[in-house]
Amino acid sequence: MSGESCLPQQHSQSDSTSPAPPLTCYKSKTCSYQGAVGLGNKYVNINVGGTLFYTTLQILTRQDSILKAMFSGKKEVLTDNKGWILIDRSGKHFGSILSYLRDGTVTLPKGCQAVKELLSEAKYYLIKGLVELCQTTLQGNKEQPLCVVPVVTSSKEEERLIQSSSKPVVMLLYNRSNNKYSYTSNSDDNLLKNIELFDRLSLSFNGRVLFIKDVIGDEICCWSFYGQRRKLAEVCCTSIFYATEKKQTKVEFPEARIYEETLNTLLYETMPLPDNSLLEATRTSYNNCGSLSEEEEVLGGAELRERVRRIHVKRYSRYDDRQLGH
């Protein structure tokens, strides 16, 4: 088919020596694609949004659609100077459109967004069966969230979630507005790193640990770890920084410590509770941490399993600021 030809060229045996000149549209690129019906497997070139396709008229006119109207002469088409039929739509899913016209069915792309895109194209081309297929898939296969993280807004809500959970609980409290001093240069980055780590852990241990976010607490950035409805450990990531005459608040990112405490909560994942020797092994690993201080609070007796580890990150800005004995 010529680039400027409105009709497909057809030659008889008598035309072999002196072919008749094709019927042209002269300078206009819009023409009516006549004579498609009855041509069977004649191939056509289609340019859909810059993506090139090569298919037959039989497939394009198989079902009632905009494509059938275009290639049966009922609707004008646009061609370029090389004879490609131009369609001003995205070519991303046009292959699926052709597959459905050819076979009457098609494997839908993965993901709701991709199916919605294909649905939009099917509606444009007026392919009723494909529209119904996409709509049925979207209604029946609604994507479920990978992880649900409750955000508490009160202490009563926090207590209710912890007491009603049969799983270990990891809670991150972050509230940047709690600070009454200015932040150090790296504090905002470290605060974001704590939040990103929380998101990664919630995905990794989804189904085994309940993760909670607290955005109204009294701390700036603090992790709390619970097992069997009791608080096991706390990692506070903020400290006061004395680099100048004016105090500043410093937010740390103790990634290894947070990972360790999260893994320790898995000891309380099932009943019965872990024995004292195992708890003692996890507790004594903190004795030689020079940069972390540990304060143990005994709750309800001398039982080792009733203790809470409170780890506070401490840093000194200059050598002169270090306390005696450090």
Side-chain angles (χ1 to χ4, degrees), residues 32 44 48 77 85 89 150 173 214 219 222 249 253-254 289 311:
S32 178
V44 292
V48 186
V77 297
I85 306 298
R89 296 291 293 182
L173 187 160
D214 185 349
E219 296 285 349
C222 185
T249 299
F253 179 50
C289 297
I311 302 114

Side-chain angles (χ1 to χ4, degrees), residues 112-126:
C112 284
Q113 183 60 36
V115 176
K116 289 178 181 178
E117 294 172 357
L118 179 57
L119 174 61
S120 177
E121 296 302 306
K123 288 181 177 180
Y124 173 79
Y125 293 112
L126 300 180

Side-chain angles (χ1 to χ4, degrees), residues 120 242 317:
S120 177
Y242 295 92
S317 60

